[in-house]
Structures are given as C-alpha cells and as structure tokens.
Amino acid sequence: MSTLQKENTIILDMGSAKKDDIKDLQYGEGRLFKRIAKTISELKLSGEVAENAQPVIVVVKKKSEKDW
C-alpha cells in the first residue's frame, strides 16, 4: 500500500513511550502531549508548516506477542 504525503501532512515519530505517558496523551495532557505541541509550534515558527495546520495524532501500540 503506497501513501502520498500531501504538503500539509505532519508525521512525527516520538519514539517509544511509557504506558502512562500514552494514556495521558489520550486525554490531551502529559509529557508526550507537551513534546508534540512544542514540535508543532517550532514547525509553525520556522515556516515549515502553515500557521493554521491542525495535527492529527494516532497512537498505535505494538500488540504483545505471547510465547506459547
């Protein structure tokens, strides 16, 4: 499956995070939320994204594998 990236698409790789940090992000608070907000703000100030850009955040957790 190929995906074309449009010019207003912002994809951030925040790396790994603790379970509690991911839970906080779901409620719009916490360490990850602040890092994302800061990064978006820096991108807007530098002119890399439009001032009215609205990020969409999708959190995907890796399903744990069971050792049978």
Side-chain angles (χ1 to χ4, degrees):
M1 180 170 143
S2 66
T3 305
L4 295 176
Q5 183 171 346
K6 298 181 181 179
E7 65 182 72
N8 63 349
T9 303
I10 303 168
I11 300 172
L12 300 175
D13 182 359
M14 303 307 287
S16 61
K18 295 179 182 178
K19 182 179 177 180
D20 290 340
D21 290 337
I22 293 171
K23 195 70 158 174
D24 289 344
L25 177 61
Q26 291 175 331
Y27 294 106
E29 53 191 38
R31 186 177 304 168
L32 282 176
F33 185 78
K34 290 176 186 174
R35 283 179 49 201
I36 292 168
K38 180 181 176 188
T39 303
I40 298 295
S41 176
E42 289 172 357
L43 289 171
K44 287 179 180 180
L45 287 174
S46 69
E48 292 185 49
V49 296
E51 190 64 34
N52 62 349
Q54 180 64 42
V56 175
I57 302 167
V58 178
V59 178
V60 179
K61 294 188 246 181
K62 181 179 178 183
K63 188 175 182 179
S64 63
E65 297 178 20
K66 295 182 180 179
D67 295 322
W68 294 73

